Amino acid sequence: MFFHVILTGECNSQCRYCFAEAMEDVDEDFSGFDVDYSLPKKISYKIDLLKRLCRQDPECVLTFYGGEPLLCTEEIKQIIDRMNAKHFMIQTNGLLLNRLEPEYVNRFHTILVSIDGDEVLTDYYRGKGTFRKVIDNLKLIKRNGFGGELIARMTVMEQTDIYKQVTWLLNNSEFSFSSVHWQLNAGFWKNDFARRDFKRWSEENYNSGIRELVKFWVDQMAKNGVVLRLYPFLGIAQSLLSAEKTSLLRCGGGWINYAIQTDGHIVPCPTMWGMKDYYLGHISNADPSKLKKVFVGEPCTKCDVFHICGGRCLYANVTKRWAAEDYTLVCNTVRNLIDAIAKELPRIRRLMENGRISLKDFEFMKYNGCEIIP
Ligand code: SF4
Ligand code: SF4
C-alpha cells in the first residue's frame, strides 16, 4: 500500500498553474461537495498513529507530500526515525532540499522534483530563480551521496513544447535526468478553460510533440540499447507489450494509493484533500487492507480505451471541473499517446527479439507518484 503523507497545505512557491489559478478561481463553485477548508496547517495527529497504520502492512510505502513537505523537516525526520516503512519517498518543489541533512535525504528511495524543463520555462511557470535553486540543490544532494531515483516531474500546459523540454531534461549540460514524468494541467480548475488556449495547443502542438517524442524514445532503444525512463511511455508500453488490461487508475488513487490529511483522515489522493464525501477512514483506526476503494465512473467506464487509460484521474472524473466537450480534448491526448506507442510496438518487439532491449527494461515501481497517464 502507498500513502501520501500530507505534511502541510502550505507552500513556499507561487506557481502559475497552482497559486495563480487558485487566485483566479477564488469565487469558484464547489457545489455538490462538502469540503473542509479548515484543515490543520501541519499534521495534528501523533506519529504513533501513522506507525500503527503502516505496521499493519509490510509493503507500506510513505511519500511525503504537501503543499511543500520540506517546510516540515522536523516531522520528516521524526517519521523516518521512528517508522519502519518499506520505502520513503518525497514529492517536492526542490527549493528546500538543502535544508534536510544528507542522512535523511539519502533514505529516500525516490525523489520526485518539480521542474518543467529548461530555465526559461521553469522560471516562467514557477517564478524567477526557481530553476537555479532547484538545480543547485540537486547537485548538492548528489554530491552528498543520494543514490535513489530522481524523477523530474513536469507540469505541462500551453507554453510547453513537450518534445523540446523532455529531451532537454534528458540531455543538457546543467543537470541531466534519467527519469522524467509529466502531467497536463487540465481539468483541475473550474474556470480556467475559457481563458486558456488548451484546445489549439493540445491539437497543434502537444499531440504532435508526443508523437515525435515516442519516435525519439524508440530511436534511442535502437541506437543505444536503452529504454529511457519516460514514465508515461514506460507504463503504456509495458501494458501493451504484456497485453495487460487495466480498469484501475494507474496512479493508484483510491485503490492502492491513498493520502493522509494533516488531521489524519484518509482520502483517495492528495488532490481530494478536504472532500468529506471521500473520507475513507482515519489513521487512528483504519486497517490498510480494508480501506474502502473508490473507482472512476462515466465517461471512463464506457470509454473504448479505458482498459489502457485506466481513467486518468479520479479527481477530474468526480469533480468534472471541465465541461464534457472540453475534457474530450484531454482524452484525445490520451488516445494520441496510446496510439503513438501502439504504432511503434512492432519496432519495439523487433528490438526485443534481437536482444537489443528486453521486457525487463520497461519495469518500474508502480504507484510511485507518476500517474502514467498525463
Ligand atoms: S480516455 Fe478519457 S474517458 Fe477514456 S478512460 Fe481515459 S480519461 Fe476516461
Ligand atoms: S491522477 Fe488524479 S486521482 Fe490520481 S493522484 Fe493525480 S489528482 Fe489524484
Side-chain angles (χ1 to χ4, degrees):
M1 201 69 95
F2 292 70
F3 290 101
H4 285 93
V5 182
I6 302 176
L7 294 175
T8 177
E10 303 207 311
C11 187
N12 54 338
S13 259
Q14 297 189 348
C15 304
R16 276 176 193 263
Y17 28 66
C18 188
F19 180 82
E21 292 290 359
M23 291 290 112
E24 294 267 0
D25 268 29
V26 76
D27 60 344
E28 78 169 89
D29 173 21
F30 231 113
S31 60
F33 294 102
D34 187 5
V35 180
D36 184 351
Y37 290 105
S38 57
L39 288 169
K41 286 187 176 163
K42 285 190 161 197
I43 55 173
S44 63
Y45 55 82
K46 291 204 163 44
I47 289 172
D48 282 343
L49 290 181
L50 190 58
K51 206 169 164 181
R52 189 204 70 82
L53 181 82
C54 210
R55 210 174 27 218
Q56 298 174 72
D57 176 11
E59 299 294 307
C60 175
V61 176
L62 296 183
T63 300
F64 298 111
Y65 200 93
E68 172 46 50
L70 284 169
L71 290 169
C72 303
T73 46
E74 281 315 309
E75 289 80 355
I76 290 175
K77 290 196 272 189
Q78 282 179 33
I79 292 171
I80 291 180
D81 284 342
R82 292 174 52 191
M83 293 193 47
N84 224 353
K86 185 177 179 196
H87 298 302
F88 294 104
M89 312 201 285
I90 189 166
Q91 287 212 29
T92 173
N93 62 26
L95 292 169
L96 303 174
L97 268 170
N98 56 326
R99 295 216 191 145
L100 188 63
E101 291 86 338
E103 67 254 45
Y104 291 99
V105 173
N106 293 347
R107 290 285 304 277
F108 292 135
H109 174 277
T110 301
I111 297 177
L112 293 112
V113 66
S114 304
I115 189 161
D116 299 322
D118 61 21
E119 181 162 10
V120 173
L121 188 68
T122 299
D123 283 4
Y124 171 77
Y125 284 144
R126 294 181 179 268
K128 199 163 167 42
T130 301
F131 174 90
R132 183 57 42 210
K133 182 69 190 154
V134 172
I135 294 295
D136 287 349
N137 280 345
L138 295 180
K139 287 178 178 168
L140 176 76
I141 65 165
K142 283 281 190 187
R143 274 202 307 278
N144 288 338
F146 177 70
E149 185 172 7
L150 189 55
I151 304 175
R153 193 186 153 81
M154 310 163 71
T155 302
V156 308
M157 56 186 288
E158 285 87 322
Q159 282 71 27
T160 307
D161 176 330
I162 192 73
Y163 178 82
K164 178 181 161 197
Q165 297 300 338
V166 171
T167 50
W168 189 89
L169 285 168
L170 290 170
N171 187 15
N172 66 81
S173 56
E174 287 280 353
F175 189 93
S176 291
F177 288 85
S178 51
S179 302
V180 181
H181 181 57
W182 60 92
Q183 194 180 36
L184 290 170
N185 173 22
F188 288 120
W189 305 96
K190 181 92 180 152
N191 300 318
D192 64 332
F193 188 84
R195 61 177 176 262
R196 287 179 51 185
D197 193 20
F198 186 84
K199 180 172 168 34
R200 190 201 55 76
W201 171 76
S202 65
E203 289 178 344
E204 294 176 18
N205 187 310
Y206 178 74
N207 285 342
S208 52
I210 287 292
R211 300 190 88 88
E212 199 183 350
L213 196 55
V214 170
K215 185 178 173 306
F216 164 83
W217 186 57
V218 184
D219 286 348
Q220 295 302 305
M221 296 178 205
K223 268 190 217 152
N224 304 323
V226 290
V227 178
L228 294 169
R229 296 181 74 75
L230 303 183
Y231 270 89
F233 298 175
L234 275 186
I236 294 172
Q238 197 198 40
S239 293
L240 293 174
L241 288 167
S242 59
E244 171 199 65
K245 296 197 169 179
T246 180
S247 55
L248 294 170
L249 275 170
R250 287 175 176 272
C251 64
W255 68 275
I256 192 165
N257 204 343
Y258 293 85
I260 302 166
Q261 300 185 160
T262 48
D263 66 351
H265 277 108
I266 300 171
V267 283
C269 97
T271 312
M272 296 174 85
W273 108 307
M275 294 176 68
K276 289 186 184 172
D277 303 330
Y278 291 88
Y279 284 8
L280 307 175
H282 192 274
I283 55 165
S284 55
N285 53 19
D287 175 345
S289 64
K290 297 202 179 104
L291 273 175
K292 192 178 158 207
K293 295 185 183 353
V294 190
F295 304 106
V296 292
E298 289 184 20
C300 300
T301 44
K302 293 201 167 151
C303 173
D304 60 319
V305 294
F306 185 37
H307 61 292
I308 294 290
C309 172
R312 183 174 176 265
C313 175
L314 180 66
Y315 174 82
N317 182 267
V318 300
T319 60
K320 301 206 169 25
R321 312 256 76 195
W322 279 14
E325 64 269 28
D326 301 340
Y327 200 76
T328 299
L329 296 166
V330 181
C331 297
N332 288 345
T333 69
V334 179
R335 288 169 192 285
N336 176 68
L337 172 63
I338 296 171
D339 186 60
I341 295 172
K343 289 224 162 70
E344 288 285 356
L345 278 187
R347 197 151 68 109
I348 295 175
R349 286 210 175 93
R350 273 199 302 279
L351 290 165
M352 284 168 53
E353 281 156 21
N354 297 341
R356 191 79 175 123
I357 54 165
S358 76
L359 194 54
K360 223 174 156 14
D361 296 329
F362 293 83
E363 285 176 4
F364 60 95
M365 185 205 263
K366 288 184 175 169
Y367 323 117
N368 65 352
C370 297
E371 299 91 346
I372 303 299
I373 303 295

